[in-house]
Amino acid sequence: QVQLVESGGGLVQAGDSLRLSCAASGLTFSKYSMGWIRQAPGKEREFVATITWSGGSTFYASSVKGRFTISRDNAENTVYLQMDNLKPEDTAVYYCAAKTGPPVVRTSEYRYWGQGTQVTVSS
């Protein structure tokens, strides 16, 4: 049974930082590309960042590029999202997701999803 468990969300002020973690189990983690996707109230899910199985390549949405950093530790079966200089528009539920093959932007192609962690940024 595949499980992805996010943690690290919370309520912060604009300009603050947060580090999200996603612990994976029930799959060969090093064989999966991982992504972070977010969903704000009343909006569709939005791609945030993705990383290859090795961690050698990453890709970001333009809205977060330069502020967010995705990374992974295959020994710990964990993927991270370091979020710096947070803005109120970053407020959303953040999900980690896994897929085999190369990382993609299209969120529907991710096979496994976590339950999400809430990030709220006040102005």
Side-chain angles (χ1 to χ4, degrees):
Q1 180 183 356
V2 175
Q3 282 194 315
L4 302 177
V5 181
E6 301 96 335
S7 61
L11 172 62
V12 297
Q13 294 186 334
D16 286 350
S17 298
L18 276 176
R19 189 193 197 201
L20 305 184
S21 299
C22 172
S25 61
L27 76 170
T28 305
F29 183 70
S30 60
K31 292 186 177 181
Y32 284 77
S33 296
M34 300 298 296
W36 286 96
I37 294 100
R38 67 187 181 186
Q39 187 167 22
K43 295 187 177 181
E44 294 185 352
R45 286 182 174 177
E46 175 191 20
F47 165 81
V48 175
T50 187
I51 189 167
T52 54
W53 65 271
S54 67
S57 294
T58 58
F59 185 77
Y60 299 91
S62 58
S63 58
V64 306
K65 193 172 184 179
R67 300 188 296 121
F68 290 11
T69 303
I70 187 172
S71 62
R72 66 189 295 161
D73 184 339
N74 285 349
E76 295 293 331
N77 287 1
T78 302
V79 62
Y80 303 97
L81 186 67
Q82 176 68 41
M83 305 186 294
D84 298 320
N85 189 22
L86 282 159
K87 303 177 180 181
E89 51 263 43
D90 294 319
T91 294
V93 176
Y94 283 72
Y95 300 90
C96 72
K99 67 176 298 291
T100 54
V104 297
V105 172
R106 189 177 296 114
T107 60
S108 61
E109 294 195 23
Y110 287 86
R111 180 175 181 183
Y112 299 110
W113 292 74
Q115 84 289 347
T117 185
Q118 176 71 46
V119 172
T120 304
V121 185
S122 64
S123 57

